[in-house]
Amino acid sequence: MAARLWRDAAGRRLTAALLLAGLACLPWGTEREQPVFNYIAVVDITRSMNVEDYRIDGAPVSRLDFVKRALRGAVAGLPCGSHFGLGVFTERSAALLFEPIETCAGFPAIAAALDRLDWRMAWAADSRIAAGLLNTLESLARYDADLVFVTDGQEAPPLNPRYRPRLDAVRGKMRGLVLGAGGLVPMPIPKFDEAGRQTGFVSPDEVPHRSTFGLSEMAPEQIEGYHARNAPFGNATVAETEHLSALREDYLRQLAAEGGLEYRRLLGGEGLGHALLRPELARTARVRTGLSHWPAGLALAALVAAYGVGRGRTTIGDWTGRVKAAIDGWKARPFRPRRAVFHEEER
């Protein structure tokens, strides 16, 4: 059968295609130096991240869902040899879900983890952005990775500026960016029951609208209705806005500058992908690159040449018949047992 195949030009091409396809199954590869990126993304999962002020395919989606999709696309665009880790933030601290893993081999696990991020993973309802970013920079600095801290910047309950944590002490511990999520127009914050079903929106009387912790930044004589014991923050009516949520860009820019990070607003997945591929955040590493696509491509070319359709060319149907005839002819040959040949000393 092999001889019949080899006598025809198309047969030789088919044989070459089979050999090349076999070579493509082998782990061919080489190592080369190339730029790679290492990131840990920490995502705010507090309740304001449930506000639906993004759109995907024309349908409103929550900030958290949009962040998940944008991060997944950005990770898919990182070159092989890059690493990505994931954490979540709520209250005053961040929790690392997994340390950075290689993005190509580990992409299914990364994508699955991103898809499963949920606001119900939060262990507390408070959202202390400055304290959370400080804790993140302190706890994750030991990893050889850059930071992507994703939040809308809403402190809940409102923070007394006098007691805001300062980030100067951790400035330069990590590179990276603070990624602002959300729109600039205040939107209502959804409420959910224990089963995750939306039951309405947060009302003004369900949240505090100012901080009454500690001492006011203002001098007592500047506070309307001040009383040292009964009203240290005065008795003036406060605008009720904390039941609504919008991106606090100015606040996040301030925090990013203090921590030695860059601020970016999340407007789309492509923008995030470009931000994570900036040359100044690249590292050089030796990465193994597969070469199996070369024999696979040549095998495909040989198949096209063997089965090329046109005037004077052998078609797939012709070759199917020829191969079948060769196999049938080989099976039809009479069985001829070979005689055993012994050496004199074996007799």
Side-chain angles (χ1 to χ4, degrees), residues 10 306-310 312-325:
Y307 292 140
V309 179
R313 294 289 187 92
T314 304
T315 65
I316 295 178
D318 295 337
W319 258 104
T320 302
R322 292 186 187 184
V323 172
K324 185 176 183 301

Side-chain angles (χ1 to χ4, degrees), residues 51-286:
V51 172
E52 295 184 343
D53 51 6
Y54 281 107
R55 286 186 173 274
I56 296 178
D57 298 328
V61 296
S62 70
R63 296 169 184 170
L64 183 56
D65 285 339
F66 192 84
V67 166
K68 289 155 55 174
R69 176 164 172 160
L71 281 174
R72 177 173 178 155
V75 172
L78 295 176
C80 290
S82 301
H83 290 75
F84 180 84
L86 182 63
V88 293
F89 155 74
T90 187
E91 197 189 25
R92 294 170 174 81
S93 59
L96 187 63
L97 300 181
F98 58 85
E99 297 180 3
I101 61 175
E102 205 278 328
T103 54
C104 287
F107 185 76
I110 294 172
L114 286 170
D115 289 342
R116 285 167 174 76
L117 286 183
D118 191 275
W119 64 272
R120 286 171 289 185
M121 298 168 66
W123 52 92
D126 289 357
S127 179
R128 295 298 193 187
I129 306 298
L133 181 55
L134 175 63
N135 173 264
T136 298
L137 291 170
E138 289 176 337
S139 61
L140 301 184
R142 60 193 179 94
Y143 295 98
D144 184 25
D146 299 322
L147 176 65
V148 181
F149 189 82
V150 191
T151 179
D152 55 22
Q154 181 165 358
E155 297 270 4
L159 180 66
N160 186 336
R162 179 188 289 268
Y163 301 99
R164 179 179 70 79
R166 297 305 189 264
L167 306 178
D168 305 273
V170 294
R171 181 182 178 87
K173 280 197 170 186
M174 295 184 76
R175 302 184 304 174
L177 57 92
V178 173
L179 189 65
L184 301 179
V185 178
M187 299 283 288
I189 302 172
K191 289 197 306 184
F192 299 90
D193 61 18
E194 294 180 353
R197 295 183 294 265
Q198 185 173 346
T199 58
F201 296 95
V202 176
S203 60
D205 59 350
E206 291 181 297
V207 293
H209 295 276
R210 70 175 178 181
S211 173
T212 55
F213 172 79
L215 299 174
S216 172
E217 280 195 315
M218 301 172 61
E221 59 271 14
Q222 296 176 316
I223 302 175
E224 181 183 345
Y226 172 82
H227 187 281
R229 184 186 67 180
N230 298 329
F233 287 85
N235 58 10
T237 301
V238 178
E240 297 182 339
T241 59
E242 292 300 315
H243 63 295
L244 305 174
S245 178
L247 173 61
R248 312 291 174 93
E249 274 202 300
D250 291 339
Y251 183 50
L252 292 180
R253 283 195 181 97
Q254 180 185 3
L255 295 180
E258 281 187 16
L261 305 171
E262 181 181 350
Y263 172 77
R264 291 286 185 99
R265 182 183 173 192
L266 179 60
L267 295 173
E270 292 183 0
L272 177 58
H274 292 318
L276 298 190
L277 290 173
R278 288 178 300 157
E280 60 267 27
L281 295 178
R283 307 147 187 259
T284 301
R286 293 191 65 83

